[in-house]
Amino acid sequence: MATHLLVDGYNLVGSAGMAPPAGSGRLEAARETLLKNLAGYRQRKGHAITVVFDGWQGGLGAEHREFQSGVEVVYSKRGERADQVIQRLARLYGRDCAVVSSDHEVVNSARAAGAFLIGAAEFRAKLQDRSSSLSTVAFKELDRGDLDRVKRSKDKGGNPRKLPKSQRKRNHQLREF
């Protein structure tokens, strides 16, 4: 099942703490590097990708869309933030999309729409990991070092070495990416 990936562009650029000051040529270079990495990720995984950038301060009067190497790039219109565009698209796609952002407002709206959520830092690690080694990690529930940290009351039933069902479900969904 191919999932549509909605990416908060500047949030992902800033997740590494390397966001250049606005208005500099380095911002454009960071944006181009991100688009190149997303195009490579799209080729490896096959997901449709839409990356949204802010255009609300100096953008056009209408939303601008273009395709670069198979990745749809959306610049929000003047007066509209990228967060609002992502929230609108998440409501449109619902459960058929995954939203990449660490912005709480975007995350809460996407969760309400039923979208799968991936934090910007978490996705940046997957974007940089070309071997996609998460698939081996996703099957491992807990390693032995984590057993000491799991504190359970005696009233709890079930296997104490197993992750909670919600976490196992998230790991299963994350394997897609």
Side-chain angles (χ1 to χ4, degrees):
M1 166 176 90
T3 302
H4 198 103
L5 200 59
L6 302 175
V7 179
D8 189 345
Y10 289 134
N11 189 274
L12 189 56
V13 167
S15 70
M18 299 183 304
S24 72
R26 293 184 300 182
L27 182 61
E28 293 171 17
R31 187 172 54 226
E32 291 302 319
T33 301
L34 174 64
L35 291 174
K36 187 173 77 169
N37 290 340
L38 286 172
Y41 181 81
R42 183 189 168 280
Q43 285 182 335
R44 287 191 313 271
K45 297 294 188 169
H47 299 296
I49 299 176
T50 301
V51 60
V52 183
F53 292 107
D54 280 319
W56 67 276
Q57 289 178 326
L60 302 172
E63 192 172 280
H64 177 69
R65 292 174 180 257
E66 61 186 46
F67 281 90
Q68 291 185 9
S69 303
V71 176
E72 183 181 20
V73 182
V74 178
Y75 296 94
S76 64
K77 66 182 179 183
R78 188 176 334 128
E80 185 178 39
R81 295 184 348 255
D83 297 353
Q84 295 167 317
V85 175
I86 294 168
Q87 290 170 357
R88 184 180 70 229
L89 291 173
R91 284 190 301 271
L92 178 70
Y93 290 113
R95 293 191 178 277
D96 295 332
C97 75
V99 175
V100 177
S101 181
S102 293
D103 186 308
H104 292 292
E105 184 180 336
V106 173
V107 166
N108 290 337
S109 177
R111 182 178 290 127
F116 182 68
L117 303 168
I118 304 173
E122 184 178 20
F123 185 73
R124 176 172 281 291
K126 293 189 73 46
L127 198 59
Q128 292 172 347
D129 180 26
R130 301 210 186 275
S131 65
S132 189
S133 63
L134 181 67
S135 60
T136 58
V137 175
F139 287 109
K140 182 172 66 172
E141 298 293 335
L142 290 173
D143 62 5
R144 297 197 187 278
D146 291 339
L147 289 178
D148 299 335
R149 287 183 254 157
V150 175
K151 302 282 186 197
R152 296 174 58 100
S153 70
K154 299 205 186 265
D155 300 339
K156 278 288 225 191
N159 188 347
R161 288 174 274 207
K162 221 175 184 184
L163 287 174
K165 188 174 185 177
S166 61
Q167 186 64 40
R168 291 191 316 253
K169 181 179 178 185
R170 176 168 166 62
N171 286 348
H172 179 71
Q173 289 175 321
L174 199 57
R175 271 186 287 191
E176 260 186 65
F177 300 97

